[in-house]
Every structure is written in structure tokens, then in C-alpha cells.
């Protein structure tokens, strides 16, 4: 887990970050690479009995502490997630990357 998270952080977040900070302010383009969308696909049945595929989602971000990496999010988002959940975050060439939480363990 530490290797994969460190790789994601190194590649997506901390690549040349010092060059993108101006006057102590991190640019929006730099910051957006730290933020992720946490999602869990689910199915609900509406009042008419129709099956609707939907997802539960919330935002989070990576925080790095020397050797460990953490996903930080609100408690209500964390409680909704499980091992079928995944994150979507900025990848190479601004193409979104989907990573299942199980792949980070």
C-alpha cells in the first residue's frame, strides 16, 4: 500500500510542486491534483419498482506523512465506502484515473 500511494503522490501531486507555488499560495491547477472523488457504485429501487444504477460519492485528498499516505475525507463519506469503492483523480495528461481502494492495500 505504501508503495502504490507513494507512487501516486509522487507522480500526481509532488512533481515539481515547489515551482508551482507563488508567494506561499498553491495554484488551483496544482491543488486539484491532490483532490480525489471517492465513489461507491450502488443500485436502488425507486417507488415504481425500477432499478436505478447510481453511486455514492464525496471528495477527499491525499496527505503524506514521511513514509505513510492517508486518504482524508469527511466521516459521512468514509462510512459510506467499502472495499468495492474507488477513487477518481487526475492522471497523466489530465485524464482521470480510476483506482480501486483494494488496489491501494
Amino acid at each position: 500500500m505504501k508503495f502504490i500511494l507513494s507512487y501516486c503522490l509522487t507522480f500526481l501531486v509532488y512533481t515539481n510542486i515547489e515551482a508551482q507555488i507563488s508567494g506561499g499560495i498553491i495554484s488551483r491547477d496544482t491543488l486539484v491534483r491532490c483532490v480525489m472523488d471517492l465513489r461507491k457504485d450502488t443500485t436502488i429501487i425507486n417507488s415504481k419498482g425500477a432499478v436505478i444504477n447510481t453511486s455514492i460519492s464525496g471528495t477527499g485528498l491525499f496527505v503524506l506523512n514521511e513514509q505513510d499516505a492517508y486518504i482524508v475525507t469527511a466521516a459521512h463519506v468514509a462510512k459510506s465506502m467499502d472495499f468495492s469503492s474507488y477513487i477518481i483523480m487526475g492522471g497523466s495528461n489530465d485524464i482521470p484515473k480510476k483506482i480501486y481502494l483494494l488496489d491501494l492495500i
Side-chain angles (χ1 to χ4, degrees):
M1 180 166 120
K2 292 178 185 178
F3 171 75
I4 294 171
L5 287 175
S6 296
Y7 173 77
C8 290
L9 284 166
T10 302
F11 181 71
L12 299 172
V13 178
Y14 292 104
T15 303
N16 203 20
I17 196 167
E18 290 84 12
Q20 299 176 40
I21 297 175
S22 173
I25 299 173
I26 301 173
S27 72
R28 179 183 55 138
D29 291 338
T30 301
L31 185 60
V32 76
R33 287 182 267 155
C34 302
V35 178
M36 70 185 75
D37 181 25
L38 290 119
R39 290 187 177 241
K40 176 183 172 185
D41 294 331
T42 187
T43 302
I44 60 172
I45 300 175
N46 69 12
S47 60
K48 297 180 181 181
V51 176
I52 301 171
N53 293 321
T54 186
S55 63
I56 300 168
S57 67
T59 57
L61 56 100
F62 278 118
V63 173
L64 185 64
N65 178 9
E66 295 186 22
Q67 300 171 334
D68 299 319
Y70 302 91
I71 295 174
V72 178
T73 189
H76 70 276
V77 174
K79 289 177 184 176
S80 299
M81 299 299 132
D82 61 21
F83 286 113
S84 69
S85 303
Y86 54 93
I87 61 173
I88 298 175
M89 57 188 302
S92 300
N93 300 319
D94 292 327
I95 297 172
K97 184 172 180 83
K98 180 178 182 177
I99 304 169
Y100 283 92
L101 294 181
L102 274 178
D103 292 338
L104 298 176
I105 296 175

